[in-house]
Amino acid sequence: MNYSIALIPGDGIGPEVISKAAGVLDLVGDKFGHVFNFIELEAGGCAIDSTGEPLPASTLETARQCDALLLGAVGGPKWETLPGDLRPERALLGLRAGLGVFANLRPATLLPQLKNACPLKDEVLKAGHPDGKAGFDILIVRELTGGIYFGERGRDGSGKTPDSSAFDTERYSRFEIERVLRVAYDAAAKRGGKLCMVDKANVLESSRFWREIAMETAAKYKNIETSYMYVDNCAMQLIRAPGQFDVIVTSNIFGDILSDEASVLSGSIGMLASASIGVKGTGKYPAGMYEPIHGSAPDIAGKDLANPLATILSAAMMLRYSFSLEKEAQAIENAVNKTLDSGLRTKDIADRTKSAQNEKIVGTNEMAAAVIKALEDE
Ligand code: NAD
């Protein structure tokens, strides 16, 4: 098959990590008989420098015609003093809205090789794990384009008098809830078969609506074990017994907070991939935007220090969710695992404890080359 992939390297370490992920995809194409056509586009600070805008119309237009988008990161000190609307990060919102991606998928996994990077104790990691292993493999599905971040907001009064007030509104329509639940259930079917719907249904009407619709949806996915949890409890359970979770699905604001909490448990930001998925044409949800969760890391840009694995793993997510190439996605994940098994570590994931004798600290280039070698040997 032929696939067109929009590549947006962006700023800082973005170009370094994107070029490595593209190299991995090229090899996957050769090995499995696919052609990935890359179309490189500008967004972020570099686009401001060349066109005056963070997201040129031509970038969005071309990205919309591609089968999926892989983005590095945008932003940096050079553009920090620009007004909000002209800042590089605006490009991300414009791309999400323009591509209609409404479900954000963030895996939070503890790879056994990086166990020492997790701040939780072994007994906590074992608690709740179905096999009693010390670890977790969670996928948080967050609604991305609705709820309180997009609801009606405003202020009354001068802001100085005691009765001055401010408000934001959490409003969800049925179709917004149904479509993100479908993504989450489909993901659970491809993973551990468990889904936990997180809300605040004991207090919020919008959460009660979510739960009603989740119960209807659960009845259609009888092979998935559905549970329901209040968000305050979930925040606690994530650090008490993360092994109990498989897929968590929740609203925009709850997902924002919980996914950041979960990301800390995985060790380094340099390992964490993400996918934002929508619906395009008549397909199920091929429109997708894939990116590492880290930023442009200007402090290490151009120094061969960036961990390329989050972007490489984002490319694997692209193969899985936009192209349904499960075998190919797993081949990338296996290659990453083997590379870590061999003891190679970029600085951000280096074990600083005494047990780290078998590790070798490498740079971006050597890490990516090792993943490519492991993939060749698969
Ligand atoms: P950051 O994620 O860029 O960096 C935070 C820390 O993590 C830094 O010490 C950095 O060196 C380290 N780090 C990040 N990615 C790494 C990797 N792959 N390998 C090794 N170390 C890594 O966050 P920040 O410093 O707050 O932001 C820098 C710029 O990036 C800002 O302009 C910010 O607005 C932007 N940003 C962009 C995105 C995005 O494009 N999606 C996300 C977050 C921040």
Side-chain angles (χ1 to χ4, degrees):
M1 278 279 281
N2 273 22
Y3 300 93
S4 59
I5 300 173
L7 286 186
I8 299 189
D11 310 311
I13 62 170
E16 299 165 47
V17 292
I18 282 289
S19 72
K20 302 306 178 200
V24 169
L25 284 170
D26 272 335
L27 179 57
V28 170
D30 290 347
K31 265 182 88 93
F32 292 89
H34 308 295
V35 178
F36 298 118
N37 295 311
F38 299 123
I39 297 131
E40 199 165 313
L41 302 169
E42 270 189 346
C46 57
I48 294 173
D49 288 350
S50 63
T51 69
E53 309 173 74
L55 181 61
S58 58
T59 293
L60 179 57
E61 194 41 46
T62 311
R64 289 173 79 139
Q65 285 157 21
C66 290
D67 296 317
L69 161 65
L70 185 63
L71 181 136
V74 297
K78 182 175 174 193
W79 305 281
E80 248 159 34
T81 51
L82 290 172
D85 272 3
L86 289 176
R87 295 212 16 194
E89 294 80 0
R90 272 279 143 175
L92 300 173
L93 300 181
L95 284 165
R96 282 176 196 154
L99 294 174
V101 290
F102 59 81
N104 183 234
L105 277 58
R106 269 210 204 179
T109 307
L110 183 60
L111 297 174
Q113 303 93 328
L114 302 182
K115 211 159 75 107
N116 286 337
C118 174
L120 300 181
K121 291 182 193 146
D122 247 35
E123 67 245 38
V124 173
L125 290 171
K126 283 181 187 158
H129 193 288
D131 308 321
K133 287 187 185 150
F136 53 86
D137 179 4
I138 306 171
L139 179 72
I140 298 187
V141 180
R142 163 189 170 193
E143 200 290 324
L144 198 59
T145 53
I148 198 162
Y149 290 176
F150 292 88
E152 198 191 332
R153 70 193 58 184
R155 286 181 179 230
D156 286 321
S158 64
K160 305 289 180 217
T161 57
D163 62 346
S164 297
S165 62
F167 66 95
D168 298 275
T169 319
E170 173 90 340
R171 179 185 284 273
Y172 269 109
S173 53
R174 175 173 271 275
F175 88 94
E176 288 177 305
I177 300 170
E178 282 176 348
R179 65 185 184 178
V180 74
L181 284 171
R182 266 198 303 274
V183 171
Y185 270 100
D186 286 350
K190 287 182 184 168
R191 294 169 39 97
K194 276 170 57 179
L195 180 141
C196 179
M197 148 88 206
V198 172
D199 59 32
K200 190 71 185 163
N202 50 345
V203 180
L204 300 176
E205 198 52 41
S206 53
S207 277
R208 282 194 277 274
F209 193 39
W210 267 81
R211 200 173 272 215
E212 252 168 65
I213 297 171
M215 284 174 165
E216 289 169 21
T217 315
K220 293 183 198 145
Y221 287 86
K222 292 206 166 51
N223 50 342
I224 306 292
E225 183 189 325
T226 304
S227 61
Y228 305 89
M229 195 178 272
Y230 297 138
V231 62
D232 38 354
N233 186 22
C234 182
M236 207 165 65
Q237 294 297 331
L238 275 172
I239 49 169
R240 246 199 81 236
Q244 69 185 287
F245 295 108
D246 178 18
V247 173
I248 290 175
V249 60
T250 190
S251 63
N252 202 343
I253 187 168
F254 295 158
D256 186 9
I257 298 164
L258 294 176
S259 61
D260 267 20
E261 181 188 352
S263 74
V264 177
L265 305 181
S266 304
S268 167
I269 201 170
M271 291 299 300
L272 294 167
S274 83
S276 301
I277 285 173
V279 178
K280 184 173 156 189
T282 53
K284 221 172 175 193
Y285 21 80
M289 175 171 165
Y290 299 83
E291 53 186 322
I293 75 160
H294 61 70
S296 59
D299 51 330
I300 57 168
K303 297 182 179 163
D304 192 33
L305 285 174
N307 184 346
L309 296 182
T311 313
I312 291 172
L313 291 169
S314 300
M317 289 189 86
M318 180 174 74
L319 300 184
R320 172 170 296 123
Y321 291 107
S322 275
F323 307 155
S324 291
L325 298 176
E326 180 60 32
K327 215 171 13 113
E328 292 81 343
Q330 270 176 24
I332 295 181
E333 288 161 356
N334 290 344
V336 166
N337 257 315
K338 280 189 190 153
T339 305
L340 293 172
D341 280 344
S342 75
L344 295 197
R345 300 283 187 272
T346 42
K347 232 174 162 181
D348 58 306
I349 50 171
D351 184 350
R352 289 169 190 88
T353 65
K354 280 188 195 139
S355 57
Q357 293 128 348
N358 299 328
E359 293 193 350
K360 179 182 172 205
I361 310 289
V362 295
T364 315
N365 291 323
E366 205 176 327
M367 183 59 109
V371 174
I372 297 240
K373 174 84 178 53
L375 191 56
E376 276 166 355
D377 296 345
E378 274 266 305

